[in-house]
Amino acid sequence: MAREVMEYDVVVVGAGPAGLSSAIRLKQLADAAGRELSVCVVEKGSEVGAHILSGAVIEPRALNELLPDWKERGAPLNTPVTEDRFLLLSKHGARKLPTPPQMHNEGNYIVSLGNFCRWLGEQAEALGVEIYPGFAAAEVLYDDVGAVRGVATGDMGLNRDGTPGPNHERGIELHARQTVFSEGCRGSLSKAVMARFDLRRSADPQTYGLGIKELWEIDPAVHERGLTVHTVGWPLASDTYGGSFLYHLEDNLVSIGFVVGLDYSNPHLSPYEEFQRFKTHSEIRRYLEGGRRISYGARALSEGGFQSLPKLSFPGGVLVGDTAGFLNVPKIKGTHMAMKSGMEAADAIFDHLADAPDGRGEVSGYAERLRASWLWDELYQVRNIRPSFRWGLWGGIAYSAIDTYVLRGRAPWTLKNHADHTQLKPASACAPIDYPKPDGKLSFDRLSSVFISATNHAEEQPCHLQLKDSAAPIQINLATYNAPETRYCPAGVYELVEADEGPRMQINAQNCLHCKTCDIKDPTQNINWVTPEGGGGPNYPNM
């Protein structure tokens, strides 16, 4: 059955801050120039914002440039930051540290990034952008000379074996003169495009963190609207990069989360369990006790920074946002960078479409515009902070202080990044970690957490977690690393099941939160995350 074809000037893959900012900017430019420009955004979540997860504190710099009248338009930036606290936790205590300058949040806002993207989507549609939620871009299309021609959405109603079911519907081909890939961290199509065009040939390996977040409604007596709290230290060992955030929103809500660098070496470590025991610390539990947990989610984030940026353009398309790796790790912020990258891409694409006869080819002006922007300088100045934590917590803090206060981000060297999946040590060489059982009040098991993420996938669809070698989970991962996928997955997707012939790895794909951790951390890179049916996955409210 042939697929329906729809033609656009620009197709944007992913309705996050980067993709929506790019779409808005393109339409703004077209309106100002009196030109017709068709722009489409395709989003795999059931609605705009359904898969968006971040802390989040927004620095409004890029928003001020994109939509200067955002306050009059009713943007959901309702809680200005009023105070920053930075704590070093030990098991039984906490010490307040000076807040690093990158973490000063004066002028910033605590938000639900999902709700912010829903609002951005409304602004885009008002300008004439066509947004199609519930349609997962599953395939990159190429023309006869090998340039990107657009994307195709995945088929709906397939049986588990990939054959058409009774409700089968073919995907749609979305053809474009230029395609903007804004899938977020470790996008499946972006990964394929990077490999096809060798976009990472001059870049360090990307390194990642896993962020796990809960939204709580807490006792008004302990709520401090506008307060941000960040911690390092306990419960993580000093050789493991990570930390926490606790942000007080409006309406007695707090978002609380924990980030673990995915370059950790101990295969017994579980980022999910580290988060659960973190909440039992006296400095944290005092906010949560008597409260109510509302939602849960998890997402990987790109931490490699400046030296891990791939080549950003290629024939027929560009990479923007966290897909490319635009995240300021010391600031713990990427939204303003994602938006700025999308805007610069839009400016470059608009000029390219005016100059090129058919609008094809490579938008080389995108990278040039970025290098001349504040984004490039900001990312360059903090490039050595994250990789300095290879020397552990104390070494990283000491180097970061020197780099920030003495060298001011202008060191005559650039530290290198390493691939996360190469860092695990054999289980026999590492100490097991005894995690306490959840109490159902502050700490919870993974399946009850997945339940409140509203995650859902059609049961009979093909598994979107594909193993290159079906024997590797037992013969390599279990034998050498004690099955780390059963611990690094924050949703209980990977489960060891005893059978007559021995243990086997069961994949509970219906639990998947689309965090991409398994695609990143698997020690043999045996797991390939591909898009499930559109509309599946989590449905995050107010996250």
Side-chain angles (χ1 to χ4, degrees):
M1 186 187 303
R3 291 187 289 209
E4 180 185 350
V5 176
M6 300 174 69
E7 298 278 353
Y8 293 93
D9 292 310
V10 181
V11 166
V12 179
V13 182
L20 291 170
S21 296
S22 187
I24 289 170
R25 184 70 167 171
L26 282 164
K27 295 298 282 189
Q28 288 175 334
L29 293 168
D31 288 351
R35 284 167 48 186
E36 289 293 328
L37 191 74
S38 56
V39 181
C40 164
V41 178
V42 60
E43 163 59 39
K44 66 182 174 65
S46 61
E47 63 173 345
V48 173
H51 290 176
I52 297 294
L53 182 75
S54 183
V57 172
I58 282 187
E59 179 180 307
R61 185 174 187 176
L63 179 60
N64 290 336
E65 296 177 12
L66 182 66
L67 296 166
D69 59 343
W70 56 266
K71 290 184 180 180
E72 291 75 18
R73 290 171 178 257
L77 278 66
N78 303 317
T79 303
V81 176
T82 57
E83 182 185 353
D84 295 306
R85 295 179 194 163
F86 184 48
L87 304 178
L88 172 65
L89 300 186
S90 61
K91 187 172 183 179
H92 300 294
R95 177 180 298 175
K96 188 174 182 179
L97 300 178
T99 301
Q102 299 96 338
M103 296 171 68
H104 288 165
N105 283 300
E106 183 179 356
N108 298 335
Y109 294 82
I110 304 172
V111 303
S112 158
L113 191 60
N115 290 341
F116 177 67
C117 285
R118 290 177 178 95
W119 176 82
L120 276 181
E122 294 170 359
Q123 309 312 303
E125 288 183 319
L127 288 167
V129 176
E130 297 180 27
I131 302 179
Y132 297 109
F135 289 88
E139 178 187 352
V140 182
L141 304 175
Y142 301 93
D143 64 16
D144 53 4
V145 297
V148 171
R149 182 71 177 91
V151 297
T153 64
D155 286 9
M156 305 286 282
L158 293 176
N159 294 319
R160 192 177 295 271
D161 62 1
T163 59
N167 298 316
H168 175 245
E169 294 181 17
R170 283 287 272 156
I172 299 171
E173 294 192 6
L174 302 169
H175 291 182
R177 296 198 282 167
Q178 290 291 324
T179 303
V180 178
F181 290 87
S182 55
E183 299 176 283
C185 179
R186 196 74 167 196
S188 54
L189 298 191
S190 305
K191 188 171 72 166
V193 164
M194 288 185 202
R196 183 181 180 100
F197 294 106
D198 196 19
L199 302 181
R200 302 205 61 85
R201 62 184 175 272
S202 300
D204 282 5
Q206 185 60 267
T207 188
Y208 300 88
L210 172 60
I212 305 174
K213 174 183 174 181
E214 294 174 351
L215 183 68
W216 284 67
E217 182 181 23
I218 65 170
D219 184 344
V222 294
H223 184 256
E224 300 178 54
R225 181 173 178 172
L227 171 65
T228 76
V229 179
H230 295 95
T231 77
V232 294
W234 190 88
L236 293 177
S238 62
D239 63 350
T240 301
Y241 181 80
S244 80
F245 62 86
L246 190 148
Y247 301 149
H248 289 242
L249 297 114
E250 62 271 23
D251 300 325
N252 299 318
L253 296 175
V254 298
S255 62
I256 180 171
F258 204 80
V259 178
V260 177
L262 288 179
D263 59 346
Y264 66 82
S265 61
N266 186 344
H268 301 293
L269 186 145
S270 165
Y272 178 86
E273 298 294 350
E274 297 290 343
F275 176 39
Q276 296 307 308
R277 66 173 177 171
F278 156 75
K279 291 183 294 177
T280 67
H281 192 280
S282 59
E283 190 66 29
I284 305 304
R285 70 184 303 147
R286 68 187 183 92
Y287 291 112
L288 303 181
E289 282 183 324
R292 178 173 67 96
R293 192 173 69 143
I294 296 172
S295 190
Y296 165 83
R299 192 76 174 90
L301 52 150
S302 302
E303 293 186 341
F306 184 83
Q307 52 270 56
S308 292
L309 292 177
K311 188 172 182 289
L312 298 169
S313 62
F314 44 90
V318 298
L319 305 174
V320 300
D322 208 24
T323 284
F326 290 114
L327 175 73
N328 186 325
V329 174
K331 273 190 177 180
I332 323 178
K333 291 178 186 64
T335 301
H336 67 298
M337 289 193 152
M339 295 179 68
K340 182 62 172 176
S341 69
M343 294 157 61
E344 295 294 349
D347 286 345
I349 289 170
F350 188 77
D351 291 344
H352 178 83
L353 294 179
D355 295 339
D358 62 359
R360 303 291 178 80
E362 183 170 344
V363 184
S364 57
Y366 170 41
E368 295 171 6
R369 294 188 65 92
L370 278 176
R371 291 189 186 100
S373 73
W374 53 259
L375 180 155
W376 202 258
D377 189 55
E378 179 180 320
L379 203 60
Y380 178 81
Q381 288 187 39
V382 300
R383 71 195 184 284
N384 287 328
I385 303 297
R386 172 63 179 92
S388 74
F389 282 83
R390 71 184 63 179
W391 299 311
L393 176 63
W394 302 113
I397 288 177
Y399 176 86
S400 298
I402 294 170
D403 196 277
T404 299
Y405 292 105
V406 179
L407 301 173
R408 298 186 180 277
R410 301 295 178 184
W413 57 79
T414 296
L415 301 179
K416 294 292 186 180
N417 289 323
H418 48 236
D420 295 331
H421 72 274
T422 65
Q423 301 304 300
L424 277 183
K425 296 177 181 178
S428 59
C430 300
I433 303 174
D434 183 22
Y435 291 111
K437 291 183 178 180
D439 61 17
K441 297 177 181 179
L442 293 175
S443 58
F444 305 88
D445 64 84
R446 277 184 283 191
L447 293 185
S448 65
S449 297
V450 171
F451 178 78
I452 62 171
S453 72
T455 296
N456 183 58
H457 295 89
E459 288 285 344
E460 294 304 315
Q461 67 176 291
C463 181
H464 66 280
L465 301 159
Q466 301 177 350
L467 302 183
K468 301 171 188 176
D469 178 2
S470 60
I474 302 303
Q475 294 181 0
I476 299 175
N477 286 10
L478 177 60
T480 304
Y481 304 104
N482 194 28
E485 59 268 61
T486 63
R487 289 178 293 280
Y488 62 58
C489 174
V493 169
Y494 300 94
E495 180 182 4
L496 274 177
V497 177
E498 292 296 331
D500 293 339
E501 62 276 14
R504 64 179 178 85
M505 184 62 67
Q506 178 171 295
I507 300 178
N508 304 310
Q510 66 274 16
N511 290 0
C512 180
L513 294 170
H514 299 197
C515 75
K516 313 294 180 64
T517 302
C518 56
D519 192 295
I520 296 165
K521 187 62 176 173
D522 185 79
T524 63
Q525 293 293 272
N526 188 50
I527 302 171
N528 186 38
W529 193 101
V530 300
T531 52
E533 282 191 6
N539 284 277
Y540 295 135
N542 304 315
M543 290 286 269

